[in-house]
Amino acid sequence: MNSRSTPFDELDRKIITALMANARTSFAEIGTAIGLSATAVKRRVDRLRETGVITGFTATVKPSALGWRTEAYVEVYCEGAAPPRRLAEVVRDYPEITAAMTVTGGADALLHVRARDVEHFEEVLERIRQEPFIRKTISVMVLSHLLPESPEAGASHPAPEELPGGAAGVR
């Protein structure tokens, strides 16, 4: 974000903090808390959305309520230099992958995977390993979340049973 092209002040920070705590907080409630009218808060939120500071509003859902009971992080090691664009194309084909990023260190990418159970996770891992440029993977299963209110403890993806394409979204 370029601060010269996008004015961002303390009131904007307070609005964003309120929305991050609860995106359903009304503009009137936020305005009362920070000393602005609801209309002024709305104008600021609209500007923050237009400039890309606020990128969206989501609901955080307990993953197990959606059928995701198993969670893991998978380090992906590629043959040669796999371009991030190619990795992005592949991970989009896996609804079980809830986050993916390129990383520094030995691995080329890190995937956050959610599955119904260990058997489903193993199926996903085997499909990932079948990609022609994947050399190896190293998986770490999540046992519990030490910060249960963190975004990583929530989910924004549908349950496996609700995915298009039938059985748990397997393609």
Side-chain angles (χ1 to χ4, degrees):
M1 178 177 69
N2 184 337
S3 59
R4 282 179 272 172
S5 64
T6 306
F8 191 83
D9 62 18
E10 191 58 31
L11 290 173
D12 291 333
R13 288 184 200 288
K14 289 178 180 179
I15 290 168
I16 290 169
T17 299
L19 291 172
M20 287 174 64
N22 181 357
R24 296 189 65 177
T25 305
S26 72
F27 295 150
E29 290 171 309
I30 295 171
T32 299
I34 66 172
L36 290 177
S37 70
T39 304
V41 172
K42 182 189 181 314
R43 277 195 305 268
R44 284 175 174 261
V45 169
D46 288 346
R47 178 180 44 80
L48 292 166
R49 289 183 73 197
E50 289 169 9
T51 58
V53 174
I54 295 176
T55 59
F57 300 90
T58 63
T60 302
V61 179
K62 185 176 179 182
S64 62
L66 300 175
W68 299 110
R69 301 202 189 301
T70 300
E71 178 179 11
Y73 286 89
V74 179
E75 291 181 352
V76 176
Y77 297 79
C78 300
E79 291 292 343
R85 181 176 54 252
R86 177 66 182 120
L87 285 167
E89 290 171 5
V90 168
V91 299
R92 281 190 194 101
D93 289 337
Y94 295 87
E96 298 89 352
I97 298 175
T98 61
M101 58 285 302
T102 55
V103 294
T104 62
D108 294 293
L110 183 66
L111 311 178
H112 184 201
V113 178
R114 292 194 186 266
R116 289 184 315 274
D117 51 34
V118 174
E119 182 180 29
H120 180 206
F121 172 72
E122 187 175 22
E123 291 169 10
V124 172
L125 191 58
E126 288 306 314
R127 287 185 312 186
I128 292 169
R129 288 177 176 161
Q130 288 175 7
E131 295 293 339
F133 62 89
I134 302 294
R135 183 170 48 91
K136 76 174 184 174
T137 63
I138 298 177
S139 304
V140 179
M141 300 295 287
V142 174
L143 299 177
S144 64
H145 284 271
L146 301 176
L147 301 173
E149 301 303 318
S150 69
E152 291 77 16
S156 60
H157 294 275
E161 297 80 12
E162 300 171 12
L163 295 170
V170 175
R171 298 172 199 269

